[in-house]
Amino acid sequence: MNPSLRKRVTTRRVIEMKRAGEPIACLTAYDAMTAALFDTAGIDVILVGDSVGNVVQGHETTLPVTLEHMIYHTQAVMRGNHHALIVTDMPFMSYQVTPQEAFRNAGRIMKEAGSGAVKLEGGQRVLDAVRMMTESGIPVMGHLGLTPQSIHQFGSYKQRGTSEGEADAIKRDAVALQEAGAFAVVLEKIPAALAAEVTSMVDIPTIGIGAGSACDGQILVWTDMLGMSTEFRPRFVRRYAELHDVITSAVAAYVDDVRERRFPDTEESY
Ligand code: KIV
């Protein structure tokens, strides 16, 4: 389609995509340049994830990320991408204290960053906050299964939903999030069969990450799928490029050229 005729994806559109059986392609992004590249490539949804804490800030967990960081990164993404639905993660402790505080912080994200929606982790414990937001016109994406903000409670990034009890809780939470007005739900690192079951139980789209092919959409952290790191290679990530190798060899060539006075040449000088 002519890019100038493409309209920005809305939360309503992703729900229609589920109904029409059209898979939803989502990626994370944290800056304008990457968001612009993904615009050209036709991505449906960009999540400004609190994975910014790991990927950009170099932290071990997502816990140190603040509301101000999320607003700043979303503003940059909004400037670079004009067609995807932009969803902003609510960072740790921006929505857990009271539903009122969660509501106010979600409002700041929508107002100051211009996002199309917010995302928060958890089921039962966030329902009041989700209800308050959705009743006031703030679209909410849920996040179940492996929820990285609870890493210190879980103690590991292992698969979730493998016991009957945990699987039942994930199913209940997905339905409850839908009833509270959520427009979509991320399912992270749960068995493919459980994700398929959840997907058929709810009318809102499920967006999988390590949750198999039956989900209505898929999301990956962009630096993982483009091979920016040599260390992090979980089974659920397909590497579509090896940018680590491309970038390190290009920079090493530049370093050599500068040291050997091969750069700049006369053509590159004024
Ligand atoms: O923060 C993030 O990038 C996420 C995705 C992994 C879903 O929550």
Side-chain angles (χ1 to χ4, degrees):
M1 186 194 284
N2 178 342
S4 61
L5 298 178
R6 261 168 71 204
K7 286 202 217 125
R8 195 182 276 284
V9 175
T10 60
T11 54
R12 188 180 281 248
R13 171 77 188 120
V14 294
I15 293 170
E16 282 167 10
M17 286 173 84
K18 170 166 181 137
R19 287 200 190 122
E22 284 177 56
I24 305 159
C26 320
L27 277 177
T28 67
Y30 317 102
D31 65 85
M33 193 186 283
T34 315
L37 291 171
F38 298 170
D39 209 359
T40 307
I43 203 78
D44 297 312
V45 177
I46 286 184
L47 170 69
V48 186
D50 62 353
S51 50
V52 70
N54 311 97
V55 173
V56 177
Q57 300 173 345
H59 293 296
E60 286 284 319
T61 72
T62 57
L63 272 56
V65 177
T66 68
L67 190 63
E68 273 63 35
H69 296 155
M70 295 311 302
I71 291 172
Y72 169 85
H73 286 281
T74 304
Q75 287 168 338
V77 166
M78 290 297 303
R79 285 191 282 267
N81 187 295
H82 306 287
H83 300 100
L85 170 65
I86 311 294
V87 181
T88 303
D89 246 340
M90 296 199 67
F92 181 60
M93 290 313 287
S94 70
Y95 60 94
Q96 287 93 341
V97 180
T98 64
Q100 286 74 12
E101 194 175 305
F103 178 47
R104 209 171 295 116
N105 287 334
R108 275 196 64 195
I109 291 173
M110 302 296 286
K111 212 173 159 92
E112 296 174 38
S115 325
V118 298
K119 174 168 90 55
L120 41 77
E121 297 180 5
Q124 290 301 323
R125 64 188 164 81
V126 297
L127 292 180
D128 287 343
V130 173
R131 225 172 273 119
M132 204 173 226
M133 292 172 201
T134 57
E135 282 171 3
S136 302
I138 300 178
V140 178
M141 179 182 271
H143 185 156
L144 300 172
L146 172 58
T147 48
Q149 291 177 15
S150 307
I151 178 62
H152 294 304
Q153 192 172 35
F154 289 123
S156 83
Y157 290 107
K158 279 212 273 283
Q159 203 189 3
R160 302 284 188 272
T162 48
S163 71
E164 203 181 318
E166 243 185 34
D168 285 346
I170 289 170
K171 287 189 256 181
R172 265 198 316 274
D173 285 346
V175 172
L177 281 167
Q178 166 170 282
E179 282 168 0
F183 76 95
V185 60
V186 168
L187 301 176
E188 181 163 356
K189 222 170 172 187
I190 63 171
L194 172 59
E197 214 180 324
V198 173
T199 301
S200 67
M201 285 172 76
V202 292
D203 297 324
I204 56 173
T206 56
I207 309 294
I209 172 162
S213 61
C215 293
D216 300 300
Q218 298 292 331
I219 187 161
L220 287 172
V221 169
W222 84 262
T223 47
D224 296 341
M225 61 83 76
L226 290 178
M228 289 284 274
S229 145
T230 49
E231 287 132 44
F232 188 63
R233 288 174 175 270
R235 158 173 170 184
F236 63 84
V237 172
R238 184 179 296 175
R239 288 165 77 102
Y240 285 84
E242 293 296 336
L243 290 192
H244 174 274
D245 299 350
V246 172
I247 292 172
T248 51
S249 54
V251 173
Y254 168 73
V255 168
D256 273 359
D257 284 352
V258 170
R259 289 190 181 145
E260 299 300 322
R261 297 197 177 278
R262 285 191 299 259
F263 176 82
D265 61 18
T266 49
E267 293 280 295
E268 290 154 337
S269 305
Y270 295 96

